Amino acid sequence: MRNPLQLYRTKRNFRRTPEPRGRRPRPSARPVFVIQKHAATTLHYDFRLEVGGVLKSWVVPKGPPSGAKTKRLAMATEDHPLEYAAFEGVIPQGEYGAGPMMIWDRGPYRNLMEKDGEPVPIDQALEDGHLVVGLEGKKLTGAYILRRMGGDPRKWLLMKRPPSSRASHSENRRKR
Ligand code: MN
């Protein structure tokens, strides 16, 4: 099986960057999300979700949406190692993604995706291009939607699910 971290490692020189090389991907009991503020050539936010032992990653140029009416472009990028969820530091000039990176928010998350009242496994939801995740961060809490757009498969939208939506009522009742 191809190592999901191969592209991540190919892009980086670990003798120069303080970023973690990462160990073998291994799923944990309590999957996490992290949002990093990254002052690279262009300031952006990196949104990462633990799936299958790696951090699935999106570049969100404008940062997470503040309200349910805002849709934010999220460009899928290479998988990062789980250790990256704890990374803060300065990526040196000349290296990939040069510039300071800080953790903006992080915490556990729950997969809330359902189809016809049945839970959809997170890797299936990812493949379908439609995720609903319940974030339990310090800044972000509640249900967020990631939806792949047509055309360029890297293009997704990140949205906050309106609190009044029917799905959120059933989700609040459900205990897992
Ligand atoms: Mn970045």
Side-chain angles (χ1 to χ4, degrees), residues 56-117:
K56 293 285 165 186
S57 298
W58 290 262
V59 176
V60 185
K62 291 187 174 173
S66 47
K69 290 197 169 116
T70 317
K71 290 177 179 165
R72 290 288 162 80
L73 176 69
M75 295 294 286
T77 187
E78 80 272 16
D79 296 347
H80 281 50
L82 281 192
E83 290 86 350
Y84 213 93
F87 175 70
E88 288 190 303
V90 179
I91 302 168
Q93 284 307 310
E95 296 307 298
Y96 180 72
M101 166 102 64
M102 59 162 282
I103 295 170
W104 185 80
D105 199 13
R106 68 171 163 178
Y109 83 90
R110 290 190 306 142
N111 172 20
L112 303 178
M113 189 61 195
E114 289 184 350
K115 205 171 187 175
D116 306 323

Side-chain angles (χ1 to χ4, degrees), residues 22-41:
R23 284 177 300 210
R24 182 181 291 273
R26 194 172 40 158
S28 64
R30 197 86 209 270
V32 297
F33 81 96
V34 63
I35 298 171
Q36 280 146 325
K37 189 174 178 181
H38 187 186
T41 313

